[in-house]
Amino acid sequence: MVGPQSEREEKVSLELTEEILQSMEIGMVFKDYGGRISSMDFHRPANYLVTASEDESIRLYDVSSATKKYGVDLVSFTSHPTTVIYSSKYKWDESLRLLSLHDNQYLRYFKGHHDRVVSLSLCSRNESFISGSLDRTVPLWDQCAERCQGLLRVQGRPAIAYHDQGLVFAIAFGGYIRMFDARKYEKGPFEIFSVGRDVSDANVVKFSNDGRLMLLTTTDGHIHVLDSFRGTLLSAYNVKPVSSNCTLDASFSPEGKFVISGSGDGRAYAWSVRSGKEVASWMMNSDPSIINWNWITADTEPPVINWAPGGLMFVTGSTELSFWVPDLSKLAAYVGRK
C-alpha cells in the first residue's frame, strides 16, 4: 500500500530498532473523514484495516471504499475479514451489531447494555466475544445468539481484552487487572495484578503478540507494562492526561520490544519496553509545511493508534488516517554506517 512490493519486503526484513522507529514518517494519509476516528482494528491473516469514525462511517481498507452506516464508536473484526462487530455511539442505542461489509447487511443485534460500550474484544478460538460498558457490566457473547451467555459485574469503567490464545481474558478497573479463565469465568478471577496507586479510569488493556506482556492505559496518562504471567510491573510511561470522554490508546510493536501510544497533547510516543525510555515522538499532522516538531498541536484529543501485525508500519487515527513507515533515505544512511 505504501510502495512497490520489493520495497515492502525490504522494510519487513529489517529488525525494528530505535533508529528505525525514529525514522518513521507518514507514508500515506487519508483526509476525507468528516469527524474523528474512534476505533480501528487489523485482521491479521488478511491484513485488512477497518476504522470507525464520528462521521458515521465504517471504512475497510484494501477491500472497499467507505460505507455509511449508523453512528459508530468501537469496531472489531470477527474471524472473517469482511465481517465486523461494532457498537453504537448514540445514548439511545447501546446495542452491538454484527455487520457484513461484503453486502452491507446486518447479521445480528446483541442487546443488553444500558450505557455506552467502551471496550470490545473478540476471542481467537471461537465465535465468542466480550464487551465492557459504562453500565459496569462485562457480558460474554456468542456471535450466533442475540442474548449474552454470561455476565460479570464490575466496580468501575472496564477495559477488557482476550489473550491471543483465547483461553484467558483480562478485565481492568480501579487500579487492578483481573485475569479470568474463559471456560470458568463464573468462579471469578484466578489472578489479580496491581498497577500501584493509579486508580484512575482504565482505558485500554492489551496483550503483546506472544502473550507474555500486557499493557494498561488510564485517563491520568499512565501506560503500565506488566508480565502477563506473574503480574510484575516492568515499566510505566507517562503522557498528558486525557479527558473522561476520551480514550488513551496504546499498542505493542509486533515483537513486543516497543510500546507506542497517544497522549492528551495530541501527539504519539514510542518507548522501549526493556529500558523504559522514550525513543521517539510524532506530531499528528501531515502538513509538510509544519517543520517545528516541538510544536504542540491544537488537537489535544489522543489519536487512536495500532501497529500493523508483522510489519514495520503503524497507523494513527485522529481527524485523518495516517500510515507511518520508515523513511528509506534515513535508513540507507543508517545501514551504511554499520
Side-chain angles (χ1 to χ4, degrees), residues 96 112-121 129-141 148-162 169-173 178 180 185-186 205:
L96 296 157
H113 281 300
H114 302 289
D115 206 335
R116 184 166 66 92
V117 175
V118 293
S119 194
L120 182 64
S121 183
F129 68 98
I130 52 178
S131 56
S133 168
L134 294 179
D135 63 13
R136 298 191 172 189
T137 65
V138 179
L140 289 82
W141 308 88
C148 69
Q149 307 301 294
L151 184 70
L152 294 169
R153 299 189 182 277
V154 299
Q155 302 301 313
R157 170 178 170 151
I160 59 176
Y162 264 106
F169 62 83
I171 302 178
F173 63 90
R178 293 160 173 84
F180 290 82
Y185 59 86
E186 67 279 358
V205 61

Side-chain angles (χ1 to χ4, degrees), residues 210-286:
D210 62 10
R212 296 180 179 181
L213 303 175
M214 60 191 310
L215 64 79
L216 170 68
T217 71
T218 67
T219 53
D220 276 359
H222 303 306
I223 301 108
H224 307 278
V225 177
L226 300 88
D227 182 305
S228 63
F229 296 105
R230 298 179 177 86
T232 307
L233 186 63
L234 302 177
S235 55
Y237 323 118
N238 298 312
V239 296
K240 187 175 180 180
V242 300
S243 63
S244 59
N245 62 339
C246 295
T247 297
L248 178 60
D249 204 1
S251 179
F252 284 107
S253 59
E255 77 301 318
K257 292 182 179 179
F258 300 96
V259 168
I260 54 174
S261 84
S263 171
D265 60 16
R267 297 173 68 97
Y269 294 85
W271 290 271
S272 166
V273 171
R274 176 174 294 182
S275 69
K277 71 176 183 178
E278 178 188 322
V279 296
S281 67
W282 304 272
M283 184 178 62
M284 297 295 100
N285 195 309
S286 61

Side-chain angles (χ1 to χ4, degrees), residues 92 110 203 279 314:
W92 47 264
F110 307 97
N203 276 189
V279 296
F314 68 88

Side-chain angles (χ1 to χ4, degrees), residues 5 24 30 74 82 84 135 166 189 237 265 272 291 300 308 334:
Q5 179 67 24
M24 296 186 83
F30 293 89
L74 299 178
T82 58
V84 299
D135 63 13
Y237 323 118
D265 60 16
S272 166
I291 58 176
T300 57
Y334 162 69

Side-chain angles (χ1 to χ4, degrees), residues 273-316:
V273 171
R274 176 174 294 182
S275 69
K277 71 176 183 178
E278 178 188 322
V279 296
S281 67
W282 304 272
M283 184 178 62
M284 297 295 100
N285 195 309
S286 61
D287 186 348
S289 66
I290 299 177
I291 58 176
N292 182 4
W293 294 96
N294 292 317
W295 174 77
I296 299 299
T297 174
D299 183 1
T300 57
E301 291 191 36
V304 180
I305 194 162
N306 209 338
W307 201 284
L312 294 182
M313 178 180 74
F314 68 88
V315 183
T316 59

Side-chain angles (χ1 to χ4, degrees), residues 308-330:
L312 294 182
M313 178 180 74
F314 68 88
V315 183
T316 59
S318 51
T319 54
E320 56 190 40
L321 184 69
S322 301
F323 294 79
W324 298 76
V325 294
D327 183 332
L328 292 181
S329 64
K330 295 179 181 178

